[in-house]
Structure formats: structure tokens, C-alpha cells
Amino acid sequence: MESTGIYWKQVYESLENVGIIPWVVNAYHIKKVPGRKTDVQDSEWLAELARCGLLKASFVPPKDFRQLRMLTRYRKKLSGTLSSEKNRLYKILESCGIKLSIVLSDIDGVSARRIISALIESGEIQPDKLASLLHGRLLPKLLMIQKSLATSLSERQRFLLKKIHAHMLWLESQIEQIDEQLVAAMVPYQEQYQLLQTIPGIDHISATMLLAELGIDMSVFPNKHHLCSWAGLTPGNNESAGKRKHGKTRKGNSYVCSLLCECANAAIKTQSQFKGRYQGLVIRRGHKRSIVAIAHKMLQIIYIVLKKQEPYRDPQINYEALVVERNSARWLKALDKYGYLPKNNSE
């Protein structure tokens, strides 16, 4: 069957339900083999290639994970829409002369949300009421924030901001409901779910989304390099006359790639091997390429963790020394962070 988009999925599940193991073959691989140009001859040629062992089946996760993918990918779309709405909200505020981003480092924080809600309600904020809307650490910036809110909003501007703000709240509630479904779906896979969270930069939502894309059976990939190649995180192979030239990363699973890049941005801020590796790369390669390299390393570690069913152990942490300091707060904090803290702390 020659297919594009999502039309192959129902055929795949129908064949799977009756006990037939179908193959989904990458068209990029078929293109390299000379064939025929009509649909009938092309199907016959594909069948002949399959009999000769010249085709390789693509990775398709089990049905449960395919259904989880629908939730995780929809959540990603909602998150992207939420980010767009936030940018649209702050763009309107900037066009109205309200410069919150200049005085507040986090324009999506608690104080910023209180200020925006008050602006939507009344169109302006009185100086005597502004202090009650701010977090304690922002009180020294009270005068600067007051100057940034000197402009009042018109009725139309308030109406538009109210609609955008309501849409943002609705999107956040939808994402929370999806998160509840995803966490509940991880009950049969608690072991793998907890193991992934021992890796720095991966939280409970990231672990769920990774399991939905990768599954729990790493035997479908011959080794960690095949997994990275499937995800599109390996460097391109571009060598000529003995000289290795710059090669872009190949096409792969864009959801895994983007998710691991987000996790890599979080991992480089922790006291782990990823921080040191990033600091060594960013000087020569820049931020974006370094993040891709960290994501590549993280995917290799994910493969090993799921393959061996063992928690992640950071090479920069001396676990033997921590065992010696068993009663210290540093030992308890580190072991709790990496999943080694016993269930009964008195043990």
C-alpha cells in the first residue's frame, strides 16, 4: 500500500487485529532501489523486494503507546497555541504603551498575571492598589512598575485582552486535564516512568511523552546509535576525499527531537555531566548546536536506562562518598534527586 499522511494507520490496525504483522517501510529507503513507475508494477516490485529481504520495517509502537501519542502530540499543539496567545497578549500591551517586560523578568509570573487581570477589569491601576498586586521581592521596583503602567486602556483594548486572557485560561485547563490522563496512563509502566525521571532535565510530563514516542521495549533498536538516528539527532555523514565536512542532522521523529532539546535546556542548569559538556561545547559550537549535542547524549542515556532497567547514575557524583556521609543532608538530598532514597528513611 502506497500511502501518505494518516491513511495507513487504520489499515495497519485492521491487519494487526487479525494477527497479520504489517510493515511500514520508509519511502526514502525504497527510493534508492530502482523500480517501476506504475502503481501495479510498483506494488509487485515492493512485494518482490520484501521476499528478497531488501526491505526494513520501520518502528511502530504498540497500540497503547500509539493512542498515548495522540494525547501527547495534542498537548504539544495546545502548548504551542498557549505560547502564541501569550505573545499576542504582550504584543497588545506593548502597543498600548504598557512596558511590563522592561521591569519584570518573568512576564508570565504571578505578579504579572495579577497586573494584567486588574488592567482588564478597570483599564488602569491606581498607585495605592499596585503594591497589593506585587510579590514581596518586586516591591523595590514599585516606582518603575508604576511608570510602566502610566497608560490607560480603552474599552476595545480591554475587550480584546479579556478574550485572549480567557482563551489562555481555557488552554491551561485543557492541558491540566490531559496531564491527568497521561499520568494515569503511566500506572502499568511505573518502573520505566520512574527510571526516566532519574535523568536530569526530565520531569514527569517529559517522561510520559518520551515513553509514548519510544515505548518501553528497546530491543526494537539494535543499539543506541540506531535510536538516535531514528530520532534525527545524529550528525549528518558528509565526508569527501578524507575530509569530514559539516553535516546537518537527518530527518527523524520531530516530537522526540524537540522534546529532548527542551529537556537538554533544563539539564544544563543542573549539577550533572550535561552542564560540563555544554560549557565545553558552547564556546566552539554555539548554544543551539550544543543543545542538540546534549539532546543526543540524553537519548543515548535513555536507551541504556530502559535497556538495563537501572536508574541513571551521574559520573560526576561520587556515590561511594555519599554512602560514607549517610547521615548528612547532602547525601539525602542527592539520593532523593536521583531516585536512590529508600522508601523508609529510617533504614
Side-chain angles (χ1 to χ4, degrees):
M1 175 182 177
E2 182 180 309
S3 107
T4 57
I6 61 173
Y7 298 110
W8 64 272
K9 293 186 177 181
Q10 184 58 42
V11 178
Y12 186 96
E13 290 190 7
S14 300
L15 294 174
E16 188 182 40
N17 291 335
V18 297
I20 299 175
I21 302 176
W23 279 17
V24 177
V25 183
N26 193 340
Y28 181 78
H29 299 160
I30 304 301
K31 186 178 179 181
K32 301 300 181 182
V33 183
R36 310 298 185 265
K37 294 301 180 183
T38 65
D39 290 342
V40 176
Q41 289 180 335
D42 192 34
S43 62
E44 293 174 353
W45 181 243
L46 288 173
E48 185 176 348
L49 291 177
R51 286 196 299 269
C52 297
L54 296 177
L55 297 183
K56 184 179 180 182
S58 299
F59 167 63
V60 179
K63 187 174 182 178
D64 187 30
F65 290 104
R66 292 201 301 268
Q67 294 177 354
L68 275 176
R69 278 184 174 185
M70 298 170 64
L71 286 175
T72 57
R73 294 182 179 184
Y74 181 58
R75 184 190 186 279
K76 183 176 176 61
K77 290 292 184 183
L78 289 181
S79 299
T81 305
L82 179 60
S83 299
S84 299
E85 288 292 86
K86 289 179 181 179
N87 293 335
R88 188 175 291 109
L89 178 70
Y90 298 127
K91 182 179 179 181
I92 294 173
L93 291 176
E94 289 285 335
S95 64
C96 297
I98 297 175
K99 308 292 184 179
L100 279 178
S101 59
I102 297 177
V103 292
L104 297 180
S105 59
D106 184 11
I107 56 177
D108 193 37
V110 176
S111 299
R113 292 202 170 201
R114 290 175 181 171
I115 292 173
I116 292 171
S117 299
L119 286 172
I120 293 174
E121 286 293 328
S122 58
E124 59 181 356
I125 300 177
Q126 299 298 328
D128 55 340
K129 297 182 179 180
L130 181 60
S132 62
L133 301 176
L134 298 179
H135 195 271
R137 291 179 297 179
L138 293 175
L139 290 178
K141 293 184 178 181
L142 179 61
L143 184 60
M144 296 175 60
I145 297 174
Q146 182 178 341
K147 290 180 179 179
S148 68
L149 301 173
T151 306
S152 60
L153 300 176
S154 64
E155 289 295 328
R156 292 177 179 175
Q157 291 170 340
R158 289 170 55 196
F159 174 78
L160 183 57
L161 289 174
K162 184 177 181 180
K163 292 298 181 183
I164 296 175
H165 189 254
H167 191 204
M168 288 170 53
L169 296 178
W170 181 83
L171 288 171
E172 290 175 349
S173 66
Q174 296 300 306
I175 292 175
E176 289 178 0
Q177 294 177 21
I178 293 176
D179 289 345
E180 293 176 0
Q181 289 287 328
L182 292 176
V183 172
M186 288 293 104
V187 173
Y189 316 108
Q190 273 298 312
E191 184 178 358
Q192 294 82 5
Y193 177 63
Q194 297 294 338
L195 287 174
L196 285 184
Q197 294 182 58
T198 61
I199 303 174
I202 297 181
D203 59 0
H204 64 288
I205 296 299
S206 301
T208 304
M209 299 178 74
L210 284 170
L211 286 178
E213 295 293 334
L214 304 177
I216 60 175
D217 183 16
M218 292 293 104
S219 62
V220 296
F221 301 102
N223 52 50
K224 59 183 180 181
H225 305 295
H226 282 77
L227 173 60
C228 295
S229 179
W230 171 82
L233 284 172
T234 52
N237 189 10
N238 186 9
E239 183 178 336
S240 179
K243 293 183 179 180
R244 187 177 182 87
K245 301 179 181 179
H246 172 66
K248 297 181 180 179
T249 54
R250 58 167 293 166
K251 293 182 179 180
N253 190 313
S254 59
Y255 295 95
V256 174
C257 187
S258 61
L259 177 60
L260 283 175
C261 286
E262 293 178 9
C263 295
N265 276 291
I268 61 176
K269 300 175 184 178
T270 62
Q271 295 299 326
S272 61
Q273 63 164 319
F274 304 115
K275 182 177 182 180
R277 184 181 292 267
Y278 171 79
Q279 291 174 345
L281 287 172
V282 69
I283 300 173
R284 298 178 288 109
R285 306 297 292 171
H287 173 72
K288 291 185 178 180
R289 291 176 179 172
S290 301
I291 287 297
V292 173
I294 299 299
H296 181 200
K297 182 65 176 178
M298 291 184 70
L299 188 55
Q300 291 180 340
I301 293 174
I302 290 171
Y303 177 88
I304 296 172
V305 166
L306 294 179
K307 184 80 172 179
K308 296 183 176 181
Q309 296 293 304
E310 295 178 358
Y312 170 74
R313 296 173 63 92
D314 197 282
Q316 290 191 355
I317 296 179
N318 189 348
Y319 290 92
E320 288 72 17
L322 291 177
V323 171
V324 174
E325 302 175 2
R326 186 179 179 89
N327 295 324
S328 68
R330 177 172 174 265
W331 180 84
L332 293 174
K333 183 178 179 181
L335 292 197
D336 183 38
K337 178 180 179 182
Y338 293 102
Y340 282 89
L341 191 63
K343 294 182 180 179
N344 185 3
N345 292 342
S346 63
E347 294 180 0

